Amino acid sequence: MKLTWLGHSGFRLEIEQAVILIDPWLTGNPVFPEDKRAEALAGATHILLTHGHGDHSADTLALAKELQVPVVGIYDIVSHWEAHDGIDGVGFNKGGTVDLGGAKVTMVPAVHSSSISGPTGPIYAGAESGYMIAGEGHTIYLSGDTCISAEMQWMGEYFKPDIGILSAGGHFTMDMRAAAWAAQKYFDFKTVIPCHYRTFPLLEQSAAALVEALPNVQVIEPEVMAPITL
């Protein structure tokens, strides 16, 4: 299994027979190198979306059409795009599981908000979500944008993820200390990878607090377009 950070909350996940682009915001992303675009997109089979905010979804429609791959995510926005924008989609909802090239992806709760930009203001885009992604002997908890939530208790007990990809930049989501507290309280991760940080000065720039708080966990500070083998 190979995971490559695309900056912010975007990842390229190579798992089983799938190459999944997670929240692939490339255009205008200040930490994504444009000359790596082709490399980031090569062989993609699916786009997995956590919610509608532009720093996660802005490139979704264009990439779905360019790459001829389905968008996978909350039913409301995916079905709307299927009907009005001519893309292929896999729309589902919390508790549901879909098979993406052999990887089993279950939608789970997150606590945030979700909208897309409209001509007169924000438009409802379905509920925000996270995912449990199972394959190749691992289960990854992709938190999506979220704060600490009591929902994490049953998710940790039921799915038993060994890898956590956690939003941890603060201001809009958990910060590093909160993400570490949630990891200790609700999960038994072997590996934690922070995201939604370093993109803007408003967000946390270092994962040092996460590393310090989780001495028995492998905390990997990702580098953009540097593959991580898991």
Side-chain angles (χ1 to χ4, degrees):
M1 188 191 321
K2 188 180 293 184
L3 183 72
T4 305
W5 194 33
L6 307 179
H8 201 52
S9 290
F11 288 90
R12 171 191 171 94
L13 176 61
E14 300 171 46
I15 181 172
E16 300 290 351
Q17 288 77 53
V19 178
I20 304 170
L21 301 178
I22 299 168
D23 289 350
W25 172 45
L26 308 182
T27 306
N29 182 337
V31 298
F32 179 78
E34 182 60 30
D35 62 351
K36 296 289 187 178
R37 186 178 188 277
E39 180 181 341
L41 303 180
T45 58
H46 305 82
I47 297 171
L48 183 63
L49 190 66
T50 63
H51 66 292
H53 290 157
D55 56 335
H56 299 256
S57 73
D59 285 336
T60 300
L61 288 176
L63 288 177
K65 294 175 181 178
E66 175 186 344
L67 302 172
Q68 293 294 292
V69 299
V71 176
V72 183
I74 194 77
Y75 177 82
D76 311 61
I77 188 61
V78 170
S79 61
H80 175 80
W81 281 337
E82 285 182 286
H84 295 277
D85 294 278
I87 64 161
D88 291 327
V90 179
F92 66 130
N93 217 309
K94 296 180 185 69
T97 301
V98 296
D99 187 312
L100 304 185
K104 302 302 192 293
V105 179
T106 302
M107 187 182 294
V108 296
V111 180
H112 192 60
S113 61
S114 181
S115 62
I116 57 176
S117 297
T120 59
I123 298 173
Y124 172 72
E128 62 280 9
S129 63
Y131 296 99
M132 295 288 176
I133 305 171
E136 300 191 27
H138 295 281
T139 298
I140 300 169
Y141 170 46
L142 175 72
S143 74
D145 282 12
T146 193
C147 66
I148 297 172
S149 167
E151 299 270 21
M152 293 174 176
Q153 180 173 359
W154 73 261
M155 291 192 283
E157 292 179 1
Y158 184 78
F159 291 101
K160 297 179 171 58
D162 58 307
I163 299 168
I165 301 176
L166 307 179
S167 59
H171 195 84
F172 300 105
T173 72
M174 301 181 290
D175 61 15
M176 294 294 170
R177 294 188 183 280
W181 189 91
Q184 291 174 313
K185 178 75 172 178
Y186 297 123
F187 300 99
D188 186 21
F189 294 127
K190 302 300 183 288
T191 302
V192 166
I193 300 166
C195 67
H196 210 281
Y197 79 120
R198 285 170 45 187
T199 322
F200 313 107
L202 185 64
L203 303 179
E204 294 210 31
Q205 302 298 305
S206 168
L210 187 67
V211 174
E212 181 181 357
L214 298 176
N216 299 316
V217 177
Q218 179 190 32
V219 178
I220 301 174
E221 289 201 64
E223 295 297 334
V224 175
M225 292 305 297
I228 301 166
T229 300
L230 298 167

